[in-house]
Amino acid sequence: MNKILLPIIAIVLLASCNTAKTDDKNTKPTGVTDDTLNTNFKQYSDKFIEALWLQEPEWATNVGYHEHDAILTIPDSNAHNNALLFIQTHLDSIKKYDLTKLTPSHQIDLQMMQNYLQAKHWSLEALKEYSWNPSSYNITGLIAFMLTEQYEPLDKRLQSCHQRMLKIPAYYAAAKTQIKNPVNELRELAIDQNLGGLSIFEKDYIDSVNKSALPAEEKTQMVAAAHKAATAVKDYVSFLKSLPAGAGRSFRLGKDLYDKKFEFDIQSSYTAQQNYDSAMARKTFLHSEMAKISRSLWSKYFGTQAMPTDSLILIGKLIDTISQKHTTPAEFQSTIEKQIPELEKFINDKKLLYLDPSKPLVVRKEPAYMAGVAGASISAPGPYDKNGNTYYNVGSLEGWPAAQAESYLREYNHYILQILNIHEAIPGHYTQLVYANRSPSLIKSILGNGAMIEGWAVYTEQMMLESGYGNNEPEMWLMWYKWNLRTVCNTILDYSVHVNNMSKNDAMQLLTKQAFQQQAEAEGKWKRVSVTSVQLTSYYSGYKAIYDLREKIKAKEGKKYDLRIFNEKFLSYGSAPVKFISQLMLNQ
Ligand code: ZN
Ligand code: ZN
């Protein structure tokens, strides 16, 4: 979806690239200062971003850059070639900068840009997801975003939507020609998601048009385009349904593609195999710690009853019992809200890292369009709206059937709910974001490394508990280990399924028996691993890399080591791959 370009844009793009090249040449004369090189690099990276948004107008809309909101790229071979040209042009431009003469922040930017371009090239030429992932063609989410997010007056957004809608029939027609050997699971996902988004065209958009103050004639044209767009979606769905099931490629990536994708997406200093091996060792460690705690807690909860000899059964019994301590559906939101200031106080008292009091987290009830995703999530301002509010969306359990609410509250019990707040909010995702937004580098925001972002959130869970959060209660540690086991098993599952051909049956055994997950959760995870790859491993790989870095710094600094300095320094580089942050921190 992000690899396409209209012909007319290609001309503009080439012009901007040529300008960039000329600038680069000007930096080359001998005796040039590093300052000049850095200034030029900064100018080039700004131009790169501008060119990127012409190349990826749909992505631009989503990050809050609205210059190209009226453009929809048609995923045909022309677009494919334009993308390759964009990649080659910028890889050439980047080569002209001597990495060693750039500031640390620019060094990271350069490597992130290079990785993005190389990954894109590999994706187009080797992975070829465009030919086997029918769910990569879907415009309904983009139009929904433009209708919902109020970044411009409604009339203006409707007009941009209209321009894009006019291209939707051509978009889906091109999609049909691209699909060569669809993965069956992704074919089904594409059918579900495209049908699920149909009401955006048939209802939401038309309702908004009718409510607007636009001239009647324009409204008529808009409604007509929406109907044609809906027809194109239905036609695409019929096409997908007509494809013989099981005729395409397997959803399993296979070792070669997985290893390479891991390299590009995670940007780890470990290989995928090393990361998997480390997760397996971590699982063994967690099981043994959990068994120790469970034995020590047995008599507190089970008195003189005989203790199970199988340690996994023993742990499972303790987890089930301790999970019964939880809040109520009515108090779910207020329980979360009350915890935020408690977490802040703990971090300040223990001096774990500086929390900027001028950037408060706004806790709000989950907006209607997110409804259904209970729990909590962060809505962060995009890189073009750094001063916007950060919201902590808290889902409501109102109206849930009692049994479903009970099962949910056991999962997010007294202990896990606190860990969730650490992960999502403070000092996890929310705090990391505040630090990242201080960095002037747009590149790091746009190309932000998912493994670093998720790894930080997981690392903070452990960092808080190690610092005494939860008073070292064994129940808290047991529950965190279970939560951490989920992260670890995500990695094991992802690698085993995509590389080692793990069966669904074995996967369910791993998740329910060894990771203590409920059947429904495990089923959901199986579905997720069959429609994604590598993403599930980002949590553990990032966590492991950050933890290893901290231990190295600790050893290196000895008595001078200070946790607060480590945390703040680490975050100061923005959302960059841990590998690059490590190089800079260890070389100081
Ligand atoms: Zn209960
Ligand atoms: Zn997270």
Side-chain angles (χ1 to χ4, degrees), residues 238-312:
S238 308
F239 162 78
L240 292 177
K241 283 182 174 167
S242 75
L243 297 171
R249 105 188 271 296
S250 158
F251 75 88
R252 298 174 199 271
L253 222 47
K255 183 168 168 54
D256 291 351
L257 291 178
Y258 187 95
D259 285 356
K260 206 70 195 165
K261 190 176 180 192
F262 179 89
E263 229 179 278
F264 284 129
D265 286 4
I266 306 290
Q267 301 184 66
S268 167
S269 47
Y270 305 109
T271 64
Q273 169 85 49
Q274 286 169 332
N275 188 56
Y276 165 79
D277 291 343
S278 140
M280 289 295 279
R282 176 82 183 161
K283 174 162 74 78
T284 304
F285 168 81
L286 290 173
H287 279 164
S288 119
E289 292 301 302
M290 290 168 91
K292 267 187 237 165
I293 298 175
S294 299
R295 271 181 228 117
S296 76
L297 284 175
W298 180 261
S299 62
K300 176 174 171 186
Y301 291 94
F302 295 95
T304 56
Q305 275 184 52
M307 201 191 296
T309 46
D310 181 319
S311 64
L312 291 180

Coordinates of all heavy atoms in Angstrom, one line a residue, residues 238-312:
S238 N -15.6 -9.9 -3.9 CA -16.1 -11.0 -4.8 C -14.9 -11.7 -5.5 O -14.9 -12.9 -5.6 CB -17.1 -10.5 -5.9 OG -18.1 -9.8 -5.3
F239 N -14.0 -10.8 -5.9 CA -12.8 -11.4 -6.6 C -12.0 -12.3 -5.6 O -11.7 -13.4 -5.9 CB -11.9 -10.2 -7.1 CG -10.5 -10.6 -7.3 CD1 -10.1 -11.3 -8.5 CD2 -9.5 -10.3 -6.4 CE1 -8.8 -11.6 -8.8 CE2 -8.2 -10.6 -6.7 CZ -7.8 -11.3 -7.8
L240 N -11.9 -11.8 -4.4 CA -11.1 -12.6 -3.4 C -11.9 -13.9 -3.1 O -11.2 -14.9 -2.9 CB -10.9 -11.8 -2.1 CG -10.0 -10.6 -2.2 CD1 -9.9 -9.8 -0.9 CD2 -8.6 -11.0 -2.6
K241 N -13.2 -13.8 -3.0 CA -14.0 -15.0 -2.7 C -13.9 -16.0 -3.8 O -14.0 -17.2 -3.5 CB -15.4 -14.6 -2.4 CG -15.6 -14.0 -1.0 CD -17.1 -13.7 -0.8 CE -17.3 -13.2 0.7 NZ -18.7 -12.6 0.8
S242 N -13.7 -15.5 -5.0 CA -13.7 -16.4 -6.2 C -12.4 -17.2 -6.3 O -12.3 -18.1 -7.0 CB -14.0 -15.6 -7.4 OG -12.8 -14.9 -7.8
L243 N -11.3 -16.7 -5.6 CA -10.0 -17.4 -5.7 C -10.1 -18.7 -5.0 O -10.7 -18.8 -3.9 CB -8.9 -16.5 -5.1 CG -8.6 -15.2 -5.7 CD1 -7.7 -14.3 -4.8 CD2 -8.1 -15.3 -7.1
P244 N -9.5 -19.8 -5.6 CA -9.6 -21.1 -4.9 C -8.8 -21.0 -3.6 O -7.6 -20.6 -3.6 CB -8.9 -22.0 -5.9 CG -8.2 -21.1 -6.9 CD -8.8 -19.8 -6.9
A245 N -9.4 -21.5 -2.5 CA -8.7 -21.5 -1.2 C -7.6 -22.5 -1.3 O -7.7 -23.5 -1.9 CB -9.7 -21.9 -0.1
G246 N -6.5 -22.1 -0.6 CA -5.3 -23.0 -0.5 C -4.5 -23.0 -1.8 O -3.5 -23.8 -1.9
A247 N -4.8 -22.1 -2.7 CA -4.0 -22.1 -4.0 C -2.7 -21.3 -3.9 O -1.8 -21.4 -4.7 CB -4.8 -21.7 -5.2
G248 N -2.7 -20.4 -2.9 CA -1.6 -19.5 -2.8 C -0.4 -20.0 -1.9 O -0.3 -21.2 -1.6
R249 N 0.4 -19.1 -1.4 CA 1.6 -19.4 -0.7 C 1.1 -19.7 0.8 O 0.1 -19.2 1.2 CB 2.7 -18.3 -0.8 CG 2.8 -17.4 0.4 CD 3.7 -16.3 0.2 NE 5.1 -16.6 0.5 CZ 5.6 -16.8 1.7 NH1 4.9 -16.9 2.7 NH2 6.9 -17.0 1.8
S250 N 2.0 -20.4 1.5 CA 1.7 -20.6 3.0 C 1.9 -19.3 3.7 O 2.7 -18.4 3.3 CB 2.7 -21.6 3.5 OG 2.8 -21.5 4.9
F251 N 1.2 -19.2 4.8 CA 1.3 -18.0 5.7 C 2.7 -17.9 6.4 O 3.1 -16.9 6.9 CB 0.2 -17.8 6.7 CG 0.3 -18.8 7.8 CD1 1.0 -18.4 9.0 CD2 -0.3 -20.0 7.8 CE1 1.1 -19.3 10.0 CE2 -0.2 -20.9 8.8 CZ 0.5 -20.5 10.0
R252 N 3.3 -19.1 6.4 CA 4.6 -19.2 7.1 C 5.7 -18.6 6.2 O 5.8 -18.9 5.1 CB 5.0 -20.6 7.4 CG 4.0 -21.3 8.3 CD 4.3 -22.8 8.4 NE 3.2 -23.6 8.9 CZ 3.0 -23.8 10.2 NH1 3.8 -23.3 11.1 NH2 2.0 -24.5 10.6
L253 N 6.5 -17.7 6.8 CA 7.4 -16.9 6.0 C 8.6 -17.8 5.6 O 9.1 -17.6 4.5 CB 7.9 -15.7 6.9 CG 8.1 -14.4 6.2 CD1 6.9 -14.1 5.3 CD2 8.4 -13.3 7.2
G254 N 9.0 -18.7 6.4 CA 10.2 -19.5 6.1 C 11.5 -18.8 6.6 O 11.5 -17.6 6.8
K255 N 12.5 -19.6 6.8 CA 13.7 -19.0 7.4 C 14.4 -17.8 6.7 O 14.7 -16.8 7.4 CB 14.8 -20.2 7.7 CG 16.0 -19.7 8.4 CD 16.8 -20.8 8.9 CE 18.2 -20.3 9.5 NZ 18.1 -19.3 10.5
D256 N 14.6 -17.9 5.4 CA 15.4 -16.9 4.8 C 14.7 -15.5 4.8 O 15.3 -14.5 5.2 CB 15.6 -17.3 3.3 CG 16.5 -18.4 3.1 OD1 17.2 -18.8 4.2 OD2 16.7 -19.0 2.0
L257 N 13.4 -15.6 4.5 CA 12.6 -14.3 4.6 C 12.5 -13.8 6.0 O 12.6 -12.6 6.3 CB 11.2 -14.5 3.9 CG 11.2 -14.7 2.4 CD1 9.8 -14.9 1.9 CD2 11.9 -13.5 1.6
Y258 N 12.2 -14.7 6.9 CA 12.1 -14.3 8.3 C 13.3 -13.6 8.9 O 13.3 -12.6 9.5 CB 11.7 -15.5 9.2 CG 11.3 -15.1 10.6 CD1 10.0 -14.9 11.0 CD2 12.3 -14.9 11.6 CE1 9.6 -14.5 12.3 CE2 12.0 -14.5 12.9 CZ 10.7 -14.3 13.2 OH 10.3 -13.8 14.5
D259 N 14.5 -14.3 8.6 CA 15.7 -13.7 9.1 C 16.0 -12.3 8.6 O 16.4 -11.4 9.3 CB 16.9 -14.6 8.7 CG 17.0 -15.9 9.5 OD1 16.1 -16.1 10.5 OD2 17.8 -16.8 9.2
K260 N 15.7 -12.1 7.3 CA 16.0 -10.9 6.7 C 15.0 -9.8 7.2 O 15.4 -8.7 7.5 CB 15.8 -11.0 5.2 CG 16.6 -10.1 4.4 CD 18.1 -10.3 4.4 CE 18.8 -9.1 3.9 NZ 20.3 -9.1 4.3
K261 N 13.7 -10.2 7.4 CA 12.7 -9.3 7.9 C 13.1 -8.8 9.3 O 12.9 -7.7 9.7 CB 11.3 -9.9 7.8 CG 10.2 -8.9 8.0 CD 8.8 -9.4 7.9 CE 7.8 -8.4 8.2 NZ 6.4 -8.9 8.3
F262 N 13.5 -9.8 10.1 CA 13.9 -9.5 11.5 C 15.0 -8.5 11.5 O 15.0 -7.5 12.2 CB 14.4 -10.8 12.1 CG 14.8 -10.7 13.5 CD1 13.9 -10.8 14.6 CD2 16.2 -10.5 13.8 CE1 14.4 -10.7 15.9 CE2 16.6 -10.3 15.1 CZ 15.7 -10.4 16.2
E263 N 16.0 -8.7 10.6 CA 17.1 -7.8 10.5 C 16.7 -6.3 10.2 O 17.1 -5.4 10.8 CB 18.0 -8.2 9.3 CG 19.5 -8.4 9.5 CD 20.1 -8.9 8.3 OE1 20.1 -10.1 8.1 OE2 20.7 -8.1 7.5
F264 N 15.8 -6.2 9.2 CA 15.3 -4.9 8.8 C 14.4 -4.2 9.9 O 14.5 -3.1 10.2 CB 14.6 -4.9 7.5 CG 15.5 -5.0 6.3 CD1 15.3 -6.0 5.4 CD2 16.6 -4.1 6.1 CE1 16.2 -6.1 4.3 CE2 17.4 -4.2 5.0 CZ 17.2 -5.2 4.1
D265 N 13.4 -5.0 10.4 CA 12.4 -4.5 11.2 C 12.9 -4.2 12.7 O 12.6 -3.2 13.3 CB 11.2 -5.4 11.3 CG 10.4 -5.3 10.0 OD1 10.8 -4.6 9.1 OD2 9.3 -5.9 9.9
I266 N 13.6 -5.2 13.2 CA 14.1 -5.1 14.6 C 15.4 -4.3 14.7 O 15.6 -3.6 15.7 CB 14.2 -6.5 15.2 CG1 12.9 -7.3 15.0 CG2 14.6 -6.4 16.7 CD1 11.7 -6.9 15.8
Q267 N 16.2 -4.4 13.7 CA 17.6 -3.8 13.7 C 18.3 -4.1 15.0 O 18.8 -3.2 15.7 CB 17.4 -2.3 13.5 CG 16.8 -1.9 12.2 CD 16.7 -0.4 12.0 OE1 17.7 0.2 11.8 NE2 15.5 0.1 12.0
S268 N 18.4 -5.4 15.3 CA 19.0 -5.9 16.5 C 20.5 -6.2 16.3 O 20.9 -6.4 15.1 CB 18.3 -7.2 17.0 OG 19.0 -7.8 18.0
S269 N 21.3 -6.3 17.3 CA 22.6 -6.8 17.1 C 22.7 -8.3 17.2 O 23.7 -8.9 17.0 CB 23.6 -6.2 18.1 OG 23.0 -6.2 19.4
Y270 N 21.5 -8.9 17.5 CA 21.4 -10.4 17.5 C 20.7 -10.8 16.2 O 19.9 -10.1 15.6 CB 20.6 -10.9 18.7 CG 21.1 -10.4 20.0 CD1 20.4 -9.5 20.8 CD2 22.3 -11.0 20.5 CE1 20.8 -9.1 22.0 CE2 22.7 -10.6 21.8 CZ 22.0 -9.6 22.5 OH 22.5 -9.2 23.7
T271 N 20.9 -12.1 15.8 CA 20.2 -12.7 14.7 C 18.8 -13.2 15.3 O 18.7 -13.3 16.5 CB 20.9 -13.9 14.1 OG1 21.0 -14.9 15.1 CG2 22.3 -13.5 13.6
A272 N 17.9 -13.5 14.4 CA 16.6 -14.0 14.8 C 16.8 -15.3 15.6 O 16.1 -15.5 16.6 CB 15.7 -14.2 13.6
Q273 N 17.7 -16.1 15.2 CA 17.9 -17.4 15.8 C 18.5 -17.2 17.3 O 18.0 -17.8 18.2 CB 18.9 -18.2 15.0 CG 19.5 -19.5 15.7 CD 18.6 -20.7 15.6 OE1 18.1 -21.0 14.5 NE2 18.3 -21.3 16.8
Q274 N 19.4 -16.2 17.4 CA 20.0 -15.9 18.7 C 18.9 -15.3 19.6 O 18.8 -15.7 20.8 CB 21.1 -14.9 18.6 CG 22.4 -15.5 18.0 CD 23.4 -14.4 17.7 OE1 23.1 -13.3 17.3 NE2 24.7 -14.8 17.7
N275 N 18.0 -14.5 19.1 CA 16.9 -13.9 19.8 C 16.0 -15.0 20.3 O 15.5 -15.0 21.5 CB 16.2 -12.9 18.9 CG 15.2 -12.1 19.7 OD1 15.5 -11.5 20.7 ND2 13.9 -12.2 19.2
Y276 N 15.7 -16.0 19.4 CA 14.8 -17.1 19.8 C 15.5 -18.0 20.9 O 14.8 -18.3 21.9 CB 14.6 -17.9 18.5 CG 14.0 -19.3 18.8 CD1 12.6 -19.5 19.1 CD2 14.8 -20.5 18.8 CE1 12.1 -20.7 19.3 CE2 14.3 -21.7 19.0 CZ 12.9 -21.8 19.3 OH 12.4 -23.1 19.6
D277 N 16.8 -18.3 20.7 CA 17.5 -19.1 21.8 C 17.4 -18.4 23.1 O 17.2 -19.0 24.2 CB 18.9 -19.3 21.3 CG 19.1 -20.2 20.1 OD1 18.1 -20.9 19.8 OD2 20.1 -20.2 19.5
S278 N 17.6 -17.1 23.1 CA 17.6 -16.3 24.3 C 16.2 -16.4 25.0 O 16.1 -16.5 26.2 CB 18.1 -14.9 24.1 OG 17.4 -14.0 24.8
A279 N 15.2 -16.3 24.2 CA 13.8 -16.4 24.7 C 13.5 -17.8 25.3 O 12.9 -17.9 26.4 CB 12.8 -16.1 23.6
M280 N 14.1 -18.8 24.7 CA 13.9 -20.2 25.2 C 14.6 -20.3 26.6 O 14.0 -20.9 27.5 CB 14.5 -21.2 24.3 CG 13.7 -21.4 23.0 SD 12.1 -22.1 23.2 CE 12.5 -23.8 23.4
A281 N 15.8 -19.7 26.7 CA 16.5 -19.8 28.0 C 15.7 -18.9 29.1 O 15.6 -19.3 30.2 CB 17.9 -19.2 27.8
R282 N 15.2 -17.8 28.6 CA 14.4 -17.0 29.5 C 13.1 -17.7 30.1 O 12.8 -17.6 31.2 CB 14.0 -15.7 28.8 CG 13.1 -14.7 29.6 CD 13.9 -13.9 30.6 NE 13.0 -13.0 31.4 CZ 13.3 -12.4 32.5 NH1 14.5 -12.6 33.0 NH2 12.4 -11.7 33.2
K283 N 12.5 -18.5 29.2 CA 11.3 -19.3 29.6 C 11.7 -20.2 30.7 O 11.0 -20.4 31.7 CB 10.7 -20.0 28.4 CG 9.6 -21.0 28.7 CD 8.7 -21.3 27.5 CE 9.4 -22.3 26.6 NZ 9.3 -23.7 27.0
T284 N 12.8 -20.9 30.5 CA 13.3 -21.9 31.6 C 13.5 -21.2 32.9 O 13.1 -21.6 33.9 CB 14.6 -22.6 31.1 OG1 14.3 -23.2 29.8 CG2 15.0 -23.6 32.1
F285 N 14.2 -20.0 32.8 CA 14.4 -19.2 34.0 C 13.1 -18.8 34.7 O 13.0 -19.0 35.9 CB 15.3 -18.0 33.6 CG 15.4 -17.0 34.7 CD1 16.3 -17.1 35.8 CD2 14.5 -15.8 34.8 CE1 16.4 -16.2 36.8 CE2 14.6 -14.9 35.8 CZ 15.5 -15.1 36.8
L286 N 12.2 -18.3 33.9 CA 10.9 -17.8 34.5 C 10.2 -19.0 35.1 O 9.6 -18.8 36.2 CB 10.0 -17.2 33.4 CG 10.5 -15.8 32.8 CD1 9.7 -15.4 31.7 CD2 10.5 -14.7 33.9
H287 N 10.1 -20.1 34.5 CA 9.4 -21.3 35.1 C 10.0 -21.6 36.4 O 9.3 -21.9 37.4 CB 9.5 -22.5 34.1 CG 8.5 -22.4 33.0 ND1 8.5 -23.2 31.9 CD2 7.3 -21.7 32.9 CE1 7.5 -22.9 31.1 NE2 6.7 -22.0 31.7
S288 N 11.4 -21.6 36.5 CA 12.0 -22.0 37.7 C 11.7 -21.0 38.8 O 11.5 -21.3 40.0 CB 13.5 -22.3 37.5 OG 14.3 -21.5 38.2
E289 N 11.8 -19.7 38.5 CA 11.5 -18.6 39.5 C 10.0 -18.7 40.0 O 9.7 -18.6 41.1 CB 11.8 -17.2 38.9 CG 13.2 -16.9 38.7 CD 14.1 -17.0 40.0 OE1 13.8 -16.3 40.9 OE2 15.0 -17.8 40.0
M290 N 9.1 -19.0 39.0 CA 7.7 -19.0 39.3 C 7.4 -20.2 40.2 O 6.6 -20.1 41.1 CB 6.9 -19.1 38.0 CG 6.9 -17.8 37.2 SD 6.2 -18.0 35.6 CE 4.5 -17.6 35.9
A291 N 8.1 -21.3 40.0 CA 7.9 -22.5 40.8 C 8.4 -22.2 42.2 O 7.7 -22.6 43.2 CB 8.7 -23.7 40.2
K292 N 9.5 -21.5 42.4 CA 10.0 -21.2 43.7 C 9.0 -20.4 44.5 O 8.6 -20.6 45.6 CB 11.3 -20.4 43.6 CG 12.6 -21.2 43.7 CD 13.8 -20.3 43.7 CE 14.7 -20.6 42.5 NZ 15.7 -19.6 42.3
I293 N 8.5 -19.3 43.8 CA 7.5 -18.4 44.5 C 6.2 -19.2 44.8 O 5.7 -19.1 45.9 CB 7.1 -17.2 43.6 CG1 8.4 -16.4 43.3 CG2 6.0 -16.4 44.2 CD1 8.1 -15.2 42.4
S294 N 5.8 -20.1 43.9 CA 4.5 -20.8 44.1 C 4.6 -21.7 45.3 O 3.7 -21.9 46.1 CB 4.2 -21.6 42.8 OG 4.0 -20.7 41.8
R295 N 5.8 -22.4 45.4 CA 6.0 -23.3 46.6 C 5.9 -22.5 47.9 O 5.3 -22.9 48.9 CB 7.4 -24.0 46.5 CG 7.3 -25.3 45.7 CD 8.6 -26.0 45.6 NE 8.9 -26.4 44.2 CZ 9.8 -26.0 43.5 NH1 10.8 -25.1 44.0 NH2 9.9 -26.4 42.2
S296 N 6.6 -21.3 47.8 CA 6.6 -20.5 49.1 C 5.2 -19.9 49.4 O 4.9 -19.7 50.6 CB 7.6 -19.3 49.0 OG 7.1 -18.3 48.2
L297 N 4.3 -19.8 48.4 CA 3.0 -19.2 48.7 C 1.9 -20.3 48.9 O 0.8 -20.0 49.3 CB 2.6 -18.3 47.5 CG 3.2 -16.9 47.3 CD1 2.7 -16.3 46.0 CD2 2.8 -16.1 48.5
W298 N 2.3 -21.5 48.7 CA 1.3 -22.6 48.7 C 0.4 -22.6 50.0 O -0.8 -22.5 49.9 CB 1.9 -24.0 48.4 CG 0.9 -25.1 48.4 CD1 0.6 -25.9 49.5 CD2 0.0 -25.4 47.4 NE1 -0.4 -26.7 49.1 CE2 -0.8 -26.5 47.8 CE3 -0.2 -24.9 46.1 CZ2 -1.8 -27.0 47.0 CZ3 -1.2 -25.5 45.3 CH2 -2.0 -26.5 45.8
S299 N 1.1 -22.7 51.1 CA 0.3 -22.8 52.3 C -0.5 -21.6 52.6 O -1.6 -21.7 53.2 CB 1.3 -23.1 53.5 OG 2.1 -22.1 53.7
K300 N -0.1 -20.4 52.2 CA -0.9 -19.2 52.4 C -2.3 -19.3 51.8 O -3.3 -18.8 52.3 CB -0.1 -18.0 51.9 CG -0.9 -16.7 52.0 CD 0.0 -15.5 51.5 CE -0.8 -14.2 51.4 NZ 0.0 -13.1 50.9
Y301 N -2.3 -19.9 50.6 CA -3.6 -20.0 49.8 C -4.3 -21.4 49.9 O -5.5 -21.5 49.8 CB -3.4 -19.7 48.4 CG -3.1 -18.2 48.2 CD1 -1.7 -17.7 48.1 CD2 -4.1 -17.2 48.1 CE1 -1.4 -16.4 48.0 CE2 -3.8 -15.9 47.9 CZ -2.5 -15.5 47.9 OH -2.2 -14.1 47.7
F302 N -3.5 -22.4 50.2 CA -4.1 -23.8 50.2 C -3.9 -24.5 51.5 O -4.2 -25.7 51.5 CB -3.5 -24.6 49.0 CG -3.8 -24.0 47.6 CD1 -3.0 -23.2 47.0 CD2 -5.1 -24.4 47.0 CE1 -3.3 -22.6 45.7 CE2 -5.4 -23.8 45.8 CZ -4.5 -23.0 45.1
G303 N -3.4 -23.9 52.5 CA -3.2 -24.5 53.8 C -2.5 -25.8 53.8 O -1.4 -25.9 53.2
T304 N -3.1 -26.9 54.3 CA -2.4 -28.1 54.4 C -2.7 -29.1 53.2 O -2.3 -30.2 53.2 CB -2.8 -28.9 55.7 OG1 -4.3 -29.0 55.7 CG2 -2.4 -28.1 56.9
Q305 N -3.4 -28.6 52.2 CA -3.7 -29.4 51.0 C -2.4 -29.8 50.4 O -1.4 -29.1 50.4 CB -4.4 -28.6 49.9 CG -5.9 -28.5 50.0 CD -6.5 -27.7 48.9 OE1 -6.2 -28.0 47.7 NE2 -7.3 -26.7 49.2
A306 N -2.4 -31.0 49.8 CA -1.1 -31.5 49.2 C -0.7 -30.7 47.9 O -1.6 -30.3 47.1 CB -1.3 -33.0 48.7
M307 N 0.5 -30.4 47.9 CA 1.1 -29.5 46.8 C 1.2 -30.4 45.5 O 1.8 -31.5 45.6 CB 2.4 -28.9 47.2 CG 2.8 -27.7 46.5 SD 4.5 -27.2 46.8 CE 4.5 -26.9 48.5
P308 N 0.8 -29.9 44.3 CA 1.0 -30.7 43.1 C 2.5 -30.9 42.9 O 3.3 -30.0 43.1 CB 0.4 -29.8 42.0 CG -0.5 -28.8 42.7 CD 0.1 -28.6 44.1
T309 N 2.9 -32.1 42.4 CA 4.3 -32.3 42.1 C 4.7 -31.7 40.8 O 5.9 -31.4 40.7 CB 4.5 -33.9 42.1 OG1 3.5 -34.5 41.3 CG2 4.5 -34.4 43.5
D310 N 3.8 -31.6 39.8 CA 4.2 -31.0 38.5 C 4.2 -29.5 38.7 O 3.2 -28.9 39.1 CB 3.1 -31.4 37.5 CG 3.4 -30.8 36.1 OD1 3.8 -29.7 36.0 OD2 3.2 -31.6 35.1
S311 N 5.4 -28.9 38.5 CA 5.6 -27.5 38.8 C 4.7 -26.6 37.9 O 4.2 -25.6 38.4 CB 7.0 -27.1 38.8 OG 7.5 -27.2 37.5
L312 N 4.4 -27.0 36.7 CA 3.6 -26.1 35.8 C 2.1 -26.1 36.4 O 1.5 -25.1 36.3 CB 3.6 -26.6 34.4 CG 4.9 -26.4 33.6 CD1 4.8 -26.9 32.2 CD2 5.4 -24.9 33.7

